[in-house]
Amino acid sequence: MAQDTVPVNAGSRSNGVSADPATLLQPSSQAQSISADEIALYDRQIRLWGVQAQERLRSANILLIGMKALANEIAKNLVLAGIGSLTILDDQVITEEDLGSQFFISELHVGINRATAAVAQVRTLNPRVALTVDTESILLKPPEFYSMFDMIIATDLDLTSLSTINASCRFVNKPFYAAGSHGFYGFIFADLITHDYVIEREKSNVPTQLKPETVTRTIIATNTKKENGKHIEMVTKRELYWPINLANTSPLQPENISSRRRKMQVPPLLTCLRALWEFQNLSGRALPTHSHQDLQFFTTLATEKHKELQLPSETLKSEFLRSFLQNVGSEIAPVTAFLGGQLAQDVINVLGQREQPIQNFLLFDSEDSKGPVYALHPIFPPLDEPVAA
């Protein structure tokens, strides 16, 4: 189901493992209490998501794969938010093309490894965050490598690489994000495996039932508290996720294609992303060139993907195909800033175990200023039976 862009407030977290609802909001016993200096430093965000969420954040160990413009934005937001440690992994060196949109580097860094060059400027943002640089290829890492991290974020990689990383994360039960930008366009994908979080709302006279809300979301527990004279209900929900290779081949949900009007609202960006990943798989190349052969091949792939999604042919216009291909592989600072901010906020939400996270594909088209979220997963029959208490 398509949703509006995810809200930018509060937090959530489960490390890919469903938590006991009774302890969901308790701070980790391994985390030291937040200091008075940290409370002063992070005062504004603590007012948003609370001390307990900030304690979880400060103990989080995050792996960020890739260090181009999008990853710059993600690193900036997470480090300023006060995570515990960040490992930046990139085996590529800086080229002159990187200088146009990446703000942690300068002309002096051309020819130097991206992660190595950026880390000094990242450190100045928040010296309290422990930083590590890894210059080895991510594809050489065994699944056990990911077990030391609480969250893995991979940026600007092809689908085969993303699928390999995602599979390794699932092997060690760690939440995974993928994101990429192509000029005016970009995406965020989330596979949190199983994630529990809490929504707070004013208590209604109608009792909340423990039952599925959607195919992916189930209410598993409720609790109440009194706050400012009001009775507040704390509803614990559980989200189920699927890996990126399965999401990439899953159909749109019935509610997205139940009418022609709804089909017309699905952005062709989804089609073009799937066509790009298929192009990479079949051609063995990262990006299509502007040759007639590549353009024709990409157009054929996009047309096939559009039909698979059961979308009207008139929504895949030649103008959009041309625009997408002209933007593929490029970086535009306002787009990477939006995507990086959204992804970092979702990570904070997941770590804090509050608010609904992205489920599971966010598509951003800056020309339309829209960022709908689609739940792409296999189709299952509806579940109407209440959950056993």
Side-chain angles (χ1 to χ4, degrees):
M1 178 178 180
Q3 307 166 345
D4 293 332
T5 301
V6 288
V8 183
N9 55 14
S12 82
R13 160 91 156 109
S14 130
N15 200 31
V17 180
S18 52
D20 179 355
T23 61
L24 192 57
L25 294 180
Q26 298 301 316
S28 169
S29 60
Q30 298 178 351
Q32 298 178 355
S33 297
I34 191 167
S35 68
D37 287 345
E38 288 174 301
I39 290 176
L41 178 63
Y42 303 124
D43 176 68
R44 290 181 63 186
Q45 59 203 51
I46 288 175
R47 292 174 186 270
L48 282 175
W49 52 67
V51 173
Q52 292 180 352
Q54 189 65 39
E55 286 180 348
R56 290 193 184 91
L57 196 61
R58 73 193 286 272
S59 65
N61 183 12
I62 297 176
L63 172 64
L64 178 60
I65 303 166
M67 200 52 183
K68 298 180 69 176
L70 175 54
N72 283 192
E73 295 287 351
I74 296 167
K76 176 193 71 176
N77 286 292
L78 292 178
V79 167
L80 288 175
I83 60 173
S85 57
L86 177 69
T87 296
I88 304 171
L89 186 151
D90 196 319
D91 65 339
Q92 300 296 307
V93 299
I94 294 170
T95 65
E96 291 185 357
E97 292 179 352
D98 293 321
L99 302 177
S101 55
Q102 299 177 38
F103 47 77
F104 288 135
I105 59 174
S106 68
E107 293 89 345
L108 299 176
H109 294 118
V110 173
I112 298 175
N113 175 271
R114 285 177 184 152
T116 301
V119 71
Q121 289 300 314
V122 176
R123 183 170 286 113
T124 63
L125 297 175
N126 191 346
R128 293 177 181 270
V129 178
L131 298 176
T132 302
V133 169
D134 191 329
T135 59
E136 187 177 42
S137 170
I138 190 62
L139 298 180
L140 298 178
K141 302 294 187 182
E144 294 76 19
F145 168 75
Y146 300 93
S147 62
M148 72 180 80
F149 302 103
D150 299 301
M151 187 80 66
I152 292 88
I153 306 168
T155 62
D156 296 312
L157 295 173
D158 59 85
L159 182 63
T160 300
S161 299
L162 293 176
S163 298
T164 300
I165 298 166
N166 194 176
S168 294
C169 291
R170 279 191 158 251
F171 183 79
V172 294
N173 207 29
K174 298 295 181 178
F176 167 77
Y177 282 90
S181 67
H182 295 287
F184 291 137
Y185 313 106
F187 75 93
I188 299 172
F189 169 79
D191 176 14
L192 308 182
I193 309 175
T194 301
H195 176 66
D196 294 351
Y197 59 98
V198 173
I199 298 292
E200 294 190 6
R201 61 194 183 194
E202 191 170 350
K203 187 172 177 58
S204 169
N205 292 328
V206 179
T208 299
Q209 293 185 324
L210 305 186
K211 66 176 185 178
E213 287 189 315
T214 68
V215 173
T216 65
R217 186 184 316 122
T218 302
I219 298 175
I220 61 171
T222 61
N223 203 348
T224 58
K225 66 178 180 179
K226 197 168 184 179
E227 188 176 86
N228 298 325
K230 295 182 178 180
H231 290 281
I232 304 298
E233 183 177 40
M234 298 177 291
V235 181
T236 303
K237 300 184 180 184
R238 176 169 295 164
E239 286 276 356
L240 301 179
Y241 286 82
W242 286 263
I244 193 168
N245 60 341
L246 189 55
N248 182 53
T249 57
S250 294
L252 287 161
Q253 298 306 295
E255 58 265 31
N256 300 134
I257 55 175
S258 59
S259 68
R260 180 173 175 79
R261 178 182 63 83
R262 291 188 175 182
K263 289 180 179 181
M264 296 290 288
Q265 292 174 345
V266 177
L269 177 57
L270 176 58
T271 293
C272 287
L273 281 174
R274 289 190 170 189
L276 175 62
W277 288 336
E278 185 71 2
F279 176 90
Q280 292 170 339
N281 179 53
L282 295 175
S283 70
R285 290 183 282 127
L287 301 172
T289 66
H290 293 293
S291 69
H292 176 73
Q293 183 179 3
D294 276 4
L295 296 178
Q296 188 176 42
F297 184 34
F298 183 86
T299 300
T300 300
L301 292 175
T303 302
E304 292 174 354
K305 297 299 179 183
H306 210 62
K307 289 180 180 178
E308 289 176 4
L309 289 166
Q310 301 180 46
L311 298 175
S313 59
E314 58 265 37
T315 61
L316 186 64
K317 298 179 180 179
S318 59
E319 293 82 2
F320 186 87
L321 282 170
R322 187 179 303 112
S323 177
F324 181 81
L325 288 169
Q326 289 172 345
N327 280 270
V328 160
S330 63
E331 298 177 308
I332 297 178
V335 175
T336 56
F338 172 83
L339 291 168
Q342 286 292 312
L343 194 154
Q345 185 61 61
D346 208 63
V347 168
I348 292 168
N349 287 349
V350 170
L351 292 171
Q353 293 177 306
R354 290 180 179 271
E355 301 300 327
Q356 181 182 328
I358 293 173
Q359 174 64 272
N360 53 356
F361 251 105
L362 182 150
L363 304 168
F364 182 58
D365 182 342
S366 65
E367 293 187 302
D368 290 338
S369 297
K370 293 180 180 179
V373 178
Y374 289 90
L376 299 176
H377 55 76
I379 302 294
F380 299 103
L383 299 174
D384 298 320
E385 293 300 321
V387 177

